[in-house]
Amino acid sequence: MTPPLTGLRVLDLATLFAGPLAATMLGDFGAEVIKVEHPTRPDPSRGHGPSKDGVGLWWKLLGRNKRTMTLDLSSPGGRDTLLRLAATADVVVENFRPGTLEKWDLGWPELSAANPRLVLARVTGFGQFGPYAHRPGFGTLAEAMSGFAAITGDPEGPPTLPPFGLADAIAGLATAYAVMTALAGRDRTGRGQVVDMAIIEPILTVLGPQPLWYDQLGHVQPRTGNRSANNAPRNTYRTADGGWVAVSTSAQSVAERVMRLVGRPELIAEPWFASGADRARHADVLDEAVGSWIARRTRAEVIDAFEKAEAAVAPVQDVRDVMTDPQYAALDTITTVQDPELGPLRMQNVLFRLSETPGAITWAGRPHGADTDAVLTELGLTEREITTLRKEGAL
């Protein structure tokens, strides 16, 4: 079956995570994604994290389903070539600091003139305008500024940052959605537009109604560790065999089932047990009841008992557990991709399943510039023109 984004052409000029991830999401569902990298300074994700045989593994994930070519956009030949590419494209994704494309005469006026139907997705730390726009921006700064770090961690401990690119990933997914929204608009108007994605913004959306709480009530959400201010018991608990499980009781009925399961049904009759917020104020009592019961049983025993009681529980898993988890296996969440450099690779599958036009991983991240000549030849450049660009240093 033909993937749903077949026929869509995306130029990925971005580096590191948010912008390139958006392009990956589009490529997973059939878009032709051309990754454009500097001839001597490739996307830094190629060197992030562990590598095997000198090949960066993060790039294998982030660069999947992308053709790769080199182009120095600051050179005259590189600029002209990009405009020719943009004329054939539907989307350009970039994450240079505001003003950089304009400095190279590749801003929105030039790109739009080359292709009025183009969608330009600009992904930066702070957006295209405002007092912080020209600062270097990374996901870590968004995690700090948004309020995420302030509510994460133990109440008596420091604000805590995630050990992975959380804000970048959220912004990447949001950018993919924004691009599709802009393309839907183009279907009606016939014209493209600019997507201005500031990494500091999407993470605010997933943090929930904190601004609304503060605006209306002056309420500032505190750090509560693994507990919740909205319900209890809600925590991680250690099992007899040294494992951990997470318990959630967002629904009143589930909270009641848990207390019956752990042998403390009398707590259900307490006046404060009837609401999640009141239960949260008695979390010490509930954690002791649940934690002491779990501590006397193995992780497998706990999960089996909770499942039979129709109560919500999950094992706290590391990546070793994820790779063998039967639910992930049933969903093919971790799938196998054949790679000419490293052989079979196991990585996350496409983000969601479509019943009629599913996405797929055709290949993992390709070597730097592997498709340069092929892309330029398809664009109509002659061998002599390609050689000239290479001598100029544009490729």
Side-chain angles (χ1 to χ4, degrees):
M1 290 177 283
T2 303
L5 300 185
T6 298
L8 196 72
R9 175 174 260 205
V10 179
L11 304 181
D12 176 7
L13 314 184
T15 57
L16 290 176
F17 306 116
L21 178 60
T24 301
M25 297 297 103
L26 301 174
D28 283 350
F29 285 89
E32 179 196 3
V33 180
I34 300 174
K35 176 73 175 181
V36 180
E37 298 174 86
H38 191 276
T40 60
R41 298 190 300 276
D43 189 326
S45 66
R46 290 182 180 272
H48 264 56
S51 63
K52 180 181 178 183
D53 299 335
V55 178
L57 297 176
W58 204 326
W59 167 251
K60 286 296 179 183
L61 176 67
L62 193 62
R64 71 189 191 192
N65 291 337
K66 299 179 183 181
R67 304 171 77 190
T68 63
M69 67 171 294
T70 60
L71 200 61
D72 182 353
L73 305 184
S74 67
S75 69
R79 173 194 179 276
D80 293 344
T81 303
L82 182 72
L83 289 175
R84 291 180 65 173
L85 281 167
T88 71
D90 299 280
V91 180
V92 170
V93 182
E94 64 97 2
N95 71 335
F96 299 105
R97 283 199 216 180
T100 300
L101 283 184
E102 286 75 9
K103 178 178 67 177
W104 298 332
D105 293 326
L106 287 171
W108 177 239
E110 290 82 7
L111 290 170
S112 182
N115 182 357
R117 291 176 54 81
L118 187 70
V119 169
L120 173 63
R122 315 195 76 168
V123 186
T124 57
F126 304 104
Q128 294 296 310
F129 57 91
Y132 303 163
H134 291 277
R135 291 182 183 178
F138 298 99
T140 297
L141 308 187
E143 290 145 12
M145 285 182 60
S146 63
F148 171 86
I151 65 169
T152 304
D154 292 328
E156 304 304 320
T160 302
L161 295 167
F164 64 100
L166 176 63
D168 275 308
I170 295 170
L173 297 176
T175 301
Y177 166 63
V179 165
M180 296 309 300
T181 302
L183 290 171
R186 187 185 72 173
D187 288 344
R188 294 199 308 273
T189 67
R191 293 192 61 82
Q193 60 185 299
V194 177
V195 171
D196 180 3
M197 179 62 66
I199 296 173
I200 60 171
E201 291 187 299
I203 191 171
L204 272 171
T205 296
V206 303
L207 284 173
Q210 289 188 56
L212 183 60
W213 288 341
Y214 180 75
D215 175 64
Q216 295 297 303
L217 302 172
H219 175 71
V220 178
Q221 183 174 335
R223 285 193 292 283
T224 56
N226 290 324
R227 289 178 172 178
S228 168
N230 302 310
N231 65 81
R234 192 264 197 183
N235 214 327
T236 57
Y237 305 93
R238 189 144 199 185
T239 60
D241 54 352
W244 291 86
V245 296
V247 173
S248 176
T249 57
S250 296
Q252 179 71 21
S253 59
V254 173
E256 294 176 5
R257 289 175 202 151
V258 170
M259 301 326 296
R260 293 190 186 99
L261 173 64
V262 302
R264 298 294 301 275
E266 75 281 1
L267 293 175
I268 300 172
E270 293 286 347
W272 48 261
F273 197 87
S275 82
D278 284 339
R279 291 200 310 274
R281 284 188 277 272
H282 293 79
D284 287 342
V285 174
L286 297 173
D287 274 347
E288 191 282 326
V290 175
S292 61
W293 185 89
I294 288 176
R296 298 192 299 272
R297 292 161 175 83
T298 66
R299 189 168 79 169
E301 290 170 339
V302 170
I303 292 173
D304 182 62
F306 267 71
E307 185 172 351
K308 289 177 179 175
E310 297 185 1
V313 70
V316 176
Q317 301 190 145
D318 65 19
V319 67
R320 294 168 295 187
D321 302 311
V322 170
M323 299 296 270
T324 58
D325 183 280
Q327 182 61 34
Y328 282 134
L331 297 174
D332 195 29
T333 306
I334 305 297
T335 196
T336 300
V337 180
Q338 296 297 327
D339 181 68
E341 289 185 287
L342 298 178
L345 303 174
R346 297 182 70 198
M347 65 173 65
Q348 298 96 316
N349 208 338
V350 299
L351 192 60
F352 49 85
R353 285 164 292 282
L354 296 179
S355 62
E356 299 300 322
T357 54
I361 304 170
T362 307
W363 61 78
R366 288 172 55 71
H368 182 225
D371 303 294
T372 301
D373 286 16
V375 170
L376 296 180
T377 299
E378 293 165 9
L379 190 61
L381 274 70
T382 65
E383 184 175 342
R384 169 179 279 186
E385 288 175 309
I386 295 172
T387 299
T388 299
L389 287 172
R390 191 158 275 123
K391 286 180 179 178
E392 178 189 316
L395 303 182

